[in-house]
Amino acid sequence: MKLSFRRRLISVGVAIGALTLVGAGIGTAQASTAQHSRPASVKPTVVLVHGAWADGSSWDKVAAKLQHDGYRVVTPPNLLSGVANDAASLRAYLDTITGPVVLVGHSYGGMVITNAALGDKQVKALVYVDAYIPDQHDTVYSLTSAVPGSVFAAEASTVFDQVAIPGGDPHYPNLYVKPSVFGKAFADKSIPAKDVAVLAARQRPLAYSALVEESGEPAWRTIPSWSVIGKQDAVIPAAQQIAMSKRAKAHTVEINAPHLSMVTDAGAVTNQIEAAAKATN
């Protein structure tokens, strides 16, 4: 009986020792794996900034595609009150985001992101979608009229309905695009007339001061940029977009689209945004 008991103790000891060795092996393997594995790269947050006479819904198709591909997407409101104030508001929003950012602007949103991103180390890429890419001292008006072809390079009273801002300077009213001009400026036959009518009906006004306020030092001098150029754009002619993109040394793609390319060609716009995002990793 004593011999049998001793044998049992030996057997248990051997078993415990074997488990200890196996456990040590597992621990070593895990440590080895941990040492040689690399942490997965973090996808940047994509911040989509809408243009004048619009709201964040203009990005809905692109936002859905980006989210499907695993990106965090936010579309903060653009105040449309003037370049400096709008850029400061966006910068305050960017300061709440942790981690890398790809900052995207459409149309007037390009003016805003160019100023908001200056000196922001979290912003790894700028993407301009049928957008203004201003240099210092440029204005929306000067860039719009730089080459022929823009619907808005005309007397303001012929393209805009003007509404006074209560308590504001009467010379700097809010501007709404006339319904008769809206479709010519923003859309083409790829957007049904009934949808264009809805967009015109719910447009948000742009302060006149936003057209004539000078842009500051551009963030694209220090942050890599990408652009999407709609060759049928009637707001910012393609020739002007190409000139601005070259000046900013942007990675450029040209597509056969109107000013609202993120609505008519969401896939192409998304691809360019994701190209910028992947380049930040």
Side-chain angles (χ1 to χ4, degrees), residues 87-139:
S89 176
L90 176 59
R91 181 59 177 263
Y93 187 91
L94 294 175
D95 288 344
T96 68
I97 298 174
T98 300
V101 169
V102 171
L103 188 55
V104 186
H106 173 250
S107 193
Y108 169 72
M111 298 288 292
V112 178
I113 70 171
T114 298
N115 289 270
L118 183 66
D120 191 333
K121 295 182 178 179
Q122 284 194 139
V123 179
K124 303 301 182 182
L126 300 168
V127 184
Y128 296 91
V129 179
D130 289 297
Y132 296 98
I133 313 177
D135 202 347
Q136 192 165 14
H137 303 306
D138 283 340
T139 67

Side-chain angles (χ1 to χ4, degrees), residues 6-152:
R6 173 181 282 183
R7 286 176 177 172
R8 289 180 183 176
L9 285 176
I10 292 173
S11 298
V12 171
V14 170
I16 293 173
L19 288 172
T20 302
L21 289 172
V22 171
I26 292 173
T28 302
Q30 289 175 336
S32 176
T33 302
Q35 288 173 359
H36 291 88
S37 65
R38 295 180 180 179
S41 58
V42 177
K43 287 186 175 182
T45 297
V46 179
V47 180
L48 303 172
V49 181
H50 65 81
W53 306 293
D55 57 30
S57 66
S58 60
W59 286 112
D60 282 356
K61 291 183 178 181
V62 170
K65 289 180 179 295
L66 289 168
Q67 289 173 335
H68 177 269
D69 293 341
Y71 290 91
R72 178 179 179 243
V73 182
V74 291
T75 56
N78 186 354
L79 300 181
L80 308 181
S81 60
V83 177
N85 190 57
D86 296 342
S89 176
L90 176 59
R91 181 59 177 263
Y93 187 91
L94 294 175
D95 288 344
T96 68
I97 298 174
T98 300
V101 169
V102 171
L103 188 55
V104 186
H106 173 250
S107 193
Y108 169 72
M111 298 288 292
V112 178
I113 70 171
T114 298
N115 289 270
L118 183 66
D120 191 333
K121 295 182 178 179
Q122 284 194 139
V123 179
K124 303 301 182 182
L126 300 168
V127 184
Y128 296 91
V129 179
D130 289 297
Y132 296 98
I133 313 177
D135 202 347
Q136 192 165 14
H137 303 306
D138 283 340
T139 67
V140 170
Y141 181 78
S142 69
L143 294 174
T144 302
S145 56
V147 301
S150 174
V151 169
F152 292 145

